[in-house]
């Protein structure tokens, strides 16, 4: 049993394989946090962890119970206005305008497994074998309002999933904020690891020690954003990839979010994860329910690699589409950087044919195939073939690709509309705009109102027709701008703050209808690259375009940061032309491939313009990736270096489940003058097994490779009379167990 309930003491102890999460019913009827960390024994009560004492100048529960002071107590789901002045988990405005609530404990329910949520992406345990779910019920008797706090324990993955549900049986109320999870920690000696950036440099690691007051990451752009990612870590200061304690938090949501960490005057820490209260409100009518998205929590005392691996196992077992989670992803070539929108069927076919010759498995046609889209000013929303480019329609072109034995993929940007489009002519009111206010363009385009069911219906019909005409294998779903002038023309005034959430619910509905109708189509999400790289998207589209920046050196930083909270089978990683389109850097095709191997591999360049030598190299790369694809995509991932912001060396490794095969990489950004000896320390091998590294005739025990390391020759051999460029260099180590 994962969840232990002591009804006599009203105490709840949630255990995973290695952790304990404990809370109880407080004297005021609400819930108090006791402990989250390494697993401890189950007891009826924990008086040592729940002692209270009176502090000066602090509100008390009553004149008699002066040691009960909410400001001093760790809580599970705190309100505001009753003596706790920290940021609350929720706030509700009642019919009389009051924001004060008093929720009393009203019981609990236990069940095996984890059900999916109807309108939201969510964790699941469809077989009811791998998890237990606890629902704790509280009631505000004055408002006739029910609050249900949901906890699911995924025991083997050391993961907890939390959410909240509000159900109204009284007069209408207004929800001002409704976070998905709160965690109060007893001290503040943590580093805050966030993954921030902007377009083309997403999810870089930033690590800072917590300070007094509030610190947060958030988005109010209508999507999770390039600038911040919903995933973050709280780690002890000395925690590194291989040692030390850390908490990980993620959010199964793709819209506006806020992750807030507040350190109070007593150096305790409150963590809140949920929908951003900015631009959010919900008019909860009588007999209506509001469900928050799910928050994911995990803890380890074994370092950041262990934390990432726990999350990876959870995603693969309980979040990603089971149809694709262990299905090897095809090697693709995308035409975007080769042709942009300047193409015809005859111009594309040589690329398709050469891709077949090189062993590539799928051709993906990017932006520009529809309407009359020769540039980015037109045609978004007009999902019908540009007959000038495809004489036999997009279906005819797809047939030619399929006839060569390649899969066929297609780019869509369903959520967008161009002013110069038939869709805008027919339905100008479908475009998001605030009445009598200037509409703000981005990339010369605007956003469709996905909160309207008729918009979703239109997109389902149009995209379905294309899928069927092309017998489509893959969709790249793009979203190239944030939302401005948020306003729902179909919503009444008192529901306008619901718009941002209703928008993302509409996106989820479109995804759900298409993935249900066409279960064999592989979806890849994209938002100008990594602008919506989150678990909400991954539930429907099991991989995402990590960044529009395809430069190998920038991708090292992006993929390394991404690896803390996501797994390598979740991100697309491609080889593109040099000088790179985003930063004009020149790197070898060898280095570009070795970086891109660690992900869902592909190419973004005109292979018909490469030299015979380069094409032969690509053919070898494709063959190598096919040989090791399962390991690259699904192997256990390790970060072997702990880089700071000026790091010159990064190290990655993937290991298969039975520890018989591993591939490691060492990336050196700039060559060093007169370096010392270099050793590469592997992780995750079986100490007692014997291994061979590359073509080295000597064999080594796993213990030696992990503890003593493997000698790496310096990048530039001083004895060579003519020296090759030595910057941006990648070593690759293929390790196999031998008898």
């Amino acid at each position: 049993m994962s969840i232990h309930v002591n009804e006599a003491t009203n105490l709840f102890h949630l255990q995973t394989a290695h952790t304990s999460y404990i809370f109880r019913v407080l004297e005021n009827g609400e819930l108090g946090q006791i402990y989250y960390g390494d697993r401890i024994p189950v007891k009826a009560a924990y008086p040592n962890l729940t002692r209270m004492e009176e502090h000066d100048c602090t509100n008390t529960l009553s004149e008699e119970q002066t040691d009960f002071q909410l400001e001093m107590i760790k809580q599970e789901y705190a309100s505001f206005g009753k003596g706790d002045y920290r940021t609350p988990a929720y706030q509700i405005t009642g019919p009389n305008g009051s924001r004060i609530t008093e929720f009393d404990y009203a019981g609990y329910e236990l069940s095996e497994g984890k059900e999916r949520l109807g309108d939201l992406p969510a964790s699941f345990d469809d077989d009811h074998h791998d998890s237990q779910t606890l629902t704790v019920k509280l009631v505000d008797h004055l408002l006739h309002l029910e609050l249900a706090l949901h906890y699911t324990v995924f025991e083997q993955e050391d993961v907890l999933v939390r959410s909240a549900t509000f159900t109204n049986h009284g007069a209408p109320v207004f929800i001002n904020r409704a976070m998905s999870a709160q965690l109060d920690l007893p001290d503040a000696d943590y580093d805050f690891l966030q993954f921030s950036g902007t377009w083309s440099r997403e999810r870089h690691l930033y690590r800072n020690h917590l300070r007094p007051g509030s610190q947060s990451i958030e988005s109010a752009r209508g999507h999770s954003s390039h600038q911040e990612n919903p995933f973050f870590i709280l780690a002890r200061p000395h925690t590194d990839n291989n040692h030390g304690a850390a908490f990980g938090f993620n959010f199964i949501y793709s819209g506006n979010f806020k992750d807030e960490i507040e350190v109070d005057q007593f150096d305790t820490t409150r963590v809140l994860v949920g929908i951003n209260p900015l631009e959010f409100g919900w008019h909860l009518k009588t007999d209506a329910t509001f469900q928050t998205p799910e928050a994911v929590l995990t803890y380890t005392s074994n370092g950041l690699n262990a934390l990432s691996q726990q999350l990876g196992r959870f995603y693969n077992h309980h979040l990603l589409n089971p149809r694709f989670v262990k299905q090897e992803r095809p090697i693709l070539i995308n035409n975007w950087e080769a042709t942009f929108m300047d193409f015809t069927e005859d111009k594309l076919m040589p690329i398709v044919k050469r891709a077949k010759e090189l062993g590539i498995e799928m051709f993906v046609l990017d932006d520009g195939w529809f309407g009359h889209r020769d540039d980015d000013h037109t045609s978004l929303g007009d999902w019908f073939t540009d007959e000038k480019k495809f004489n036999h329609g997009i279906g005819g072109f797809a047939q030619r690709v399929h006839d060569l034995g390649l899969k066929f993929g297609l780019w869509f940007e369903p959520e967008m509309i161009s002013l110069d489009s038939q869709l805008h002519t027919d339905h100008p009111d479908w475009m998001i705009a605030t009445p009598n206010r200037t509409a703000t363009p981005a990339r010369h385009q605007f956003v469709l109102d996905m909160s309207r069911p008729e918009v979703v219906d239109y997109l389902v019909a149009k995209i379905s027709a294309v899928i069927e005409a092309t017998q489509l294998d893959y969709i790249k779903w793009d979203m190239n701008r944030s939302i401005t002038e948020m306003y729902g023309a179909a919503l009444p005034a008192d529901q306008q703050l619901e718009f941002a959430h209703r928008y993302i619910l509409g996106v989820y509905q479109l995804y759900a209808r298409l993935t249900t109708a066409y279960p064999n189509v592989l979806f890849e999400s994209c938002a100008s690259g990594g602008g919506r790289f989150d678990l909400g998207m991954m539930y429907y589209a099991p991989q995402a375009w990590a960044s529009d920046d395809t430069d190998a050196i920038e991708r090292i930083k992006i993929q390394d940061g991404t690896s803390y909270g996501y797994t390598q089978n979740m991100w697309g990683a491609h080889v593109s032309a040099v000088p790179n389109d985003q930063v004009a850097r020149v790197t070898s095709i060898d280095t570009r491939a070795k970086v891109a191997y660690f992900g869902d591999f592909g190419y973004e360049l005109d292979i018909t313009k490469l030299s015979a030598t380069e094409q032969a190299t690509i053919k070898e790369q494709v063959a190598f990736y096919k040989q090791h694809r399962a390991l690259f995509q699904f192997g256990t991932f390790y970060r072997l270096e702990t880089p700071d912001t000026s790091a010159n060396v990064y190290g990655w490794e993937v290991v298969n489940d039975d520890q018989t095969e591993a591939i490691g990489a060492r990336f050196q950004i700039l060559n060093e003058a007169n370096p010392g000896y270099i050793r590469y320390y592997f992780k995750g091998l079986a100490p007692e097994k014997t291994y061979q590294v590359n073509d080295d005739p000597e064999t080594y025990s796993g213990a030696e490779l992990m503890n003593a390391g493997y000698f790496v020759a310096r990048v530039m051999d001083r004895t060579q009379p003519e020296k090759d460029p030595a910057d941006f260099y990648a070593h690759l180590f293929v390790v196999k167990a031998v008898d």
Side-chain angles (χ1 to χ4, degrees), residues 113-178:
K114 167 64 170 62
E115 301 295 336
R116 299 171 188 251
L117 299 180
D119 298 327
L120 286 163
S123 60
F124 56 82
D125 176 17
D126 294 335
D127 296 329
H128 294 187
H129 291 157
D130 300 326
S131 65
Q132 272 192 311
T133 296
L134 167 70
T135 297
V136 180
K137 298 180 179 180
L138 301 105
V139 175
D140 185 308
H141 297 285
L142 181 64
L143 294 177
H144 304 288
L145 186 65
E146 293 181 2
L147 168 60
L149 299 181
H150 309 285
Y151 304 77
T152 298
V153 178
F154 293 94
E155 183 176 5
Q156 295 308 308
E157 291 82 12
D158 287 312
V159 163
L160 302 176
V161 171
R162 291 191 56 183
S163 68
T165 304
F166 294 88
T167 303
N168 186 17
H169 297 298
V173 298
F174 192 81
I175 301 175
N176 305 301
R177 65 160 49 217

Side-chain angles (χ1 to χ4, degrees), residues 226-238:
H226 302 84
Q227 289 70 23
E228 304 292 353
N229 191 268
F231 172 72
F232 69 100
I233 298 170
L234 292 183
R236 292 301 190 186
H238 299 294

Side-chain angles (χ1 to χ4, degrees), residues 302-501:
N302 296 313
L304 300 176
N305 274 327
L307 183 140
S308 302
Q309 291 159 10
Q310 288 169 195
L311 288 171
R313 290 190 293 271
F314 166 71
Y315 301 153
N316 283 312
H317 295 155
H318 300 293
L319 183 81
L320 300 183
N321 186 338
R323 183 180 296 270
F324 293 105
V325 70
K326 284 297 183 181
Q327 184 181 104
E328 294 183 4
R329 313 290 168 75
I331 301 170
L332 65 86
I333 186 163
N334 184 297
N335 72 297
W336 178 248
E337 292 193 20
T339 66
F340 296 99
M341 297 182 195
D342 182 18
F343 58 79
T344 62
E345 184 171 338
D346 291 338
K347 185 175 181 179
L348 294 172
M349 281 309 299
I351 299 175
V352 177
K353 292 176 180 177
R354 188 62 49 85
K356 174 65 176 178
E357 294 168 2
L358 299 180
I360 294 170
E361 298 163 319
M362 182 163 67
F363 177 79
V364 178
L365 177 58
D366 212 282
D367 193 357
W369 59 269
F370 52 91
H372 58 279
R373 190 161 168 88
D374 297 320
D375 56 46
D376 59 9
H377 289 72
T378 75
S379 302
L380 288 172
D382 293 346
W383 301 112
F384 49 83
T385 309
D386 184 346
E387 300 292 345
K388 300 193 305 298
K389 296 179 179 179
F390 298 96
N391 295 332
H392 303 290
I394 195 67
F397 176 65
Q399 186 62 52
R400 295 182 69 181
V401 174
H402 282 139
D403 287 346
L404 287 172
L406 271 68
K407 295 179 181 292
F408 181 63
L410 203 54
W411 180 95
F412 288 89
E413 194 171 4
E415 299 159 64
M416 299 296 148
I417 186 171
S418 300
L419 296 181
D420 180 7
S421 68
Q422 187 61 48
L423 180 61
H424 188 266
T425 299
D426 295 340
H427 299 285
D429 58 314
W430 286 7
M431 186 183 93
I432 294 174
T434 300
N436 304 313
R437 301 293 185 188
T438 303
T440 306
R443 200 181 180 241
H444 315 294
Q445 65 191 55
F446 298 87
V447 187
L448 284 170
D449 185 348
M450 298 296 294
S451 72
R452 300 177 69 150
E454 62 269 32
V455 172
V456 176
D457 291 343
Y458 167 85
L459 291 170
V460 168
K462 292 298 182 182
I463 296 172
S464 296
V466 176
I467 292 173
E468 293 172 11
T470 58
Q471 294 299 294
L472 202 56
D473 300 292
Y474 163 102
I475 286 177
K476 179 181 177 181
W477 182 315
D478 215 339
M479 189 261 194
N480 275 304
R481 62 154 293 175
S482 301
I483 303 174
T484 53
E485 291 83 46
M486 288 190 188
Y487 183 85
L491 293 174
D494 64 354
Q495 290 184 260
Q496 286 299 322
L497 283 174
E498 301 176 12
F499 176 76
H501 184 57

Side-chain angles (χ1 to χ4, degrees), residues 534-554:
D534 58 67
L535 298 183
M537 287 290 101
M538 297 296 179
Y539 178 82
Y540 303 101
Q543 65 187 60
W545 187 224
S547 176
D548 278 344
D549 196 333
T550 53
D551 170 65
I553 305 309
E554 291 300 316

Side-chain angles (χ1 to χ4, degrees), residues 537-603:
M537 287 290 101
M538 297 296 179
Y539 178 82
Y540 303 101
Q543 65 187 60
W545 187 224
S547 176
D548 278 344
D549 196 333
T550 53
D551 170 65
I553 305 309
E554 291 300 316
R555 270 305 188 100
I556 292 172
K557 301 173 187 176
I558 293 166
Q559 291 173 205
D560 192 83
T562 305
S563 73
Y564 284 83
Y566 304 90
T567 54
Q568 69 273 17
N569 62 321
M570 288 176 156
W571 66 72
H574 297 172
V575 175
S576 63
V578 292
N580 176 263
D581 186 61
Q582 290 80 37
V583 297
R585 184 180 284 121
V586 176
T587 55
S588 71
I589 196 168
D590 178 72
T591 293
R592 281 175 272 159
K594 286 174 179 174
V595 174
Y597 285 154
F598 291 85
D600 301 319
F601 186 61
Y603 291 88

Side-chain angles (χ1 to χ4, degrees), residues 632-644:
F632 277 122
Q633 293 182 356
F634 308 120
T636 301
F637 187 93
Y638 291 85
R639 293 172 300 274
L640 302 185
E641 306 283 344
T642 306
D644 58 26

